[in-house]
Amino acid sequence: MKLLKKIIRKISDGIFSILIPSNFYFKQSGYCPCCEKDVSFKAKDSWLRDNFICSSCHSIPRERALMVTIEKYLPNWKELKIHESSPGDKGASIRLKNQCVNYLASQYYPDVKFGEIVGEFRNEDLENQTFDDEIFDLVVTQDVFEHIYEPAKAFKEIARTLKKGGCYIFTVPLVNKFNATEVWSHKDENGKPIFLYEPEYHLNPVDPNGSPVTMHWGYDIVDYIRNSCKMETTIEYIDNLNMGIRAEFIEVLVCRKN
């Protein structure tokens, strides 16, 4: 039982690789919604979530699912005002940055004053943002909310910064699925994680120490968001091999501010 739990937890990181034949290989031709090209999607590892890669832009399934969902709910996204927190350097983040004139990206630098510009990013804490009320049409995050210590505050802050009718569209691994969401860690008075279970970290592009996992979310995240900020949430699950969208934990969540 302990071994099984360990396997499940490492799978949730997206960095665990179970024993597989050394010659594993999967290839699919199709169209990538991130780079808008006819491409090949290739995987040399059975964990497709992080390894089913576009031959052109190197996007992965959850990024492609996010882009398809944005275009479904906000087909005029290029004309809107968008805030993306903790963007990546490929895939959906690059398309949003390159094609939306009013795109703003933020990162979290705890040792810098919030609201200041660091390189090409604005420094923001999702739990305590410096933005004015109701200024964004769309807020985007990708695999961020499993690293937030006080997610209720962050959801409330995102709702505050959205215009009425605006959307928060994001990915987060729903590793607990139909089981209840679990708090995985708290932080001490120095901001260091106190893990309640086995310590988990994910890669962080701006911190070589990685990001501690704070939550194991389930589908009850929909109720959590409603109770936190009154936004209703839809969970989109896309399985489209021709767009390279096939893997575990690639749900996209859509919250709308009424």
Side-chain angles (χ1 to χ4, degrees):
M1 182 60 70
K2 289 183 178 179
L3 177 60
L4 178 59
K5 288 182 178 179
K6 183 177 288 188
I7 290 173
I8 292 172
R9 289 168 189 167
K10 287 187 177 180
I11 285 175
S12 72
D13 285 353
I15 60 174
F16 178 65
S17 179
I18 62 175
L19 293 176
I20 57 173
S22 60
N23 62 346
F24 180 90
Y25 183 76
F26 180 62
K27 179 179 178 180
Q28 171 71 33
S29 297
Y31 174 82
C32 177
C34 288
C35 61
E36 302 177 280
K37 295 179 181 179
D38 294 323
V39 299
S40 293
F41 304 107
K42 301 177 183 179
K44 296 181 180 180
D45 190 304
S46 62
W47 181 247
L48 298 183
R49 190 176 195 266
D50 293 313
N51 295 286
F52 196 25
I53 298 172
C54 170
S55 60
S56 175
C57 69
H58 307 292
S59 63
I60 55 179
R62 65 171 172 79
E63 295 174 312
R64 298 188 284 269
L66 176 75
M67 201 66 244
V68 168
T69 302
I70 289 173
E71 295 196 303
K72 174 183 176 180
Y73 283 86
L74 295 170
N76 63 330
W77 61 268
K78 296 178 184 178
E79 305 163 13
L80 303 180
K81 190 168 183 179
I82 299 175
H83 169 215
E84 183 174 12
S85 173
S86 305
D89 58 359
K90 58 181 177 61
S93 294
I94 294 301
R95 186 174 176 201
L96 293 172
K97 175 184 175 181
N98 289 343
Q99 297 186 11
C100 178
V101 176
N102 294 308
Y103 171 86
L104 185 154
S106 68
Q107 293 282 5
Y108 175 66
Y109 301 101
D111 298 327
V112 179
K113 182 179 179 181
F114 292 113
E116 291 191 353
I117 303 301
V118 181
E120 59 180 314
F121 302 110
R122 177 161 164 156
N123 187 31
E124 290 292 339
D125 177 357
L126 277 179
E127 297 173 9
N128 298 282
Q129 299 179 47
T130 66
F131 296 115
D132 292 335
D133 296 350
E134 300 187 357
I135 60 171
F136 297 115
D137 301 289
L138 170 63
V139 174
V140 174
T141 64
Q142 301 184 56
D143 283 22
V144 169
F145 262 82
E146 70 271 35
H147 305 296
I148 302 292
Y149 284 109
E150 296 186 71
K153 289 180 65 176
F155 284 126
K156 189 173 182 179
E157 276 288 89
I158 287 171
R160 178 184 68 78
T161 66
L162 279 172
K163 299 176 184 178
K164 291 181 179 179
C167 287
Y168 171 42
I169 300 180
F170 69 108
T171 64
V172 66
L174 302 178
V175 296
N176 279 18
K177 298 194 175 184
F178 290 102
N179 295 318
T181 289
E182 297 174 285
V183 176
W184 211 253
S185 66
H186 299 293
K187 63 179 176 180
D188 63 19
E189 63 275 10
N190 298 313
K192 302 298 183 181
I194 302 174
F195 286 99
L196 306 180
Y197 305 95
E198 181 179 346
E200 291 185 31
Y201 288 84
H202 293 176
L203 295 176
N204 184 330
V206 298
D207 186 345
N209 296 317
S211 296
V213 171
T214 62
M215 305 290 292
H216 273 201
W217 292 103
Y219 295 139
D220 58 358
I221 191 174
V222 171
D223 299 321
Y224 187 99
I225 295 170
R226 182 189 303 113
N227 294 334
S228 298
C229 62
K230 300 181 180 180
M231 289 197 295
E232 294 296 328
T233 302
T234 300
I235 299 177
E236 293 278 326
Y237 178 75
I238 303 171
D239 181 57
N240 187 328
L241 196 55
N242 290 328
M243 287 189 175
I245 305 174
R246 178 166 295 174
E248 184 66 284
F249 308 134
I250 56 170
E251 292 90 348
V252 181
L253 293 89
V254 181
C255 309
R256 187 176 291 276
K257 181 176 179 179
N258 295 321

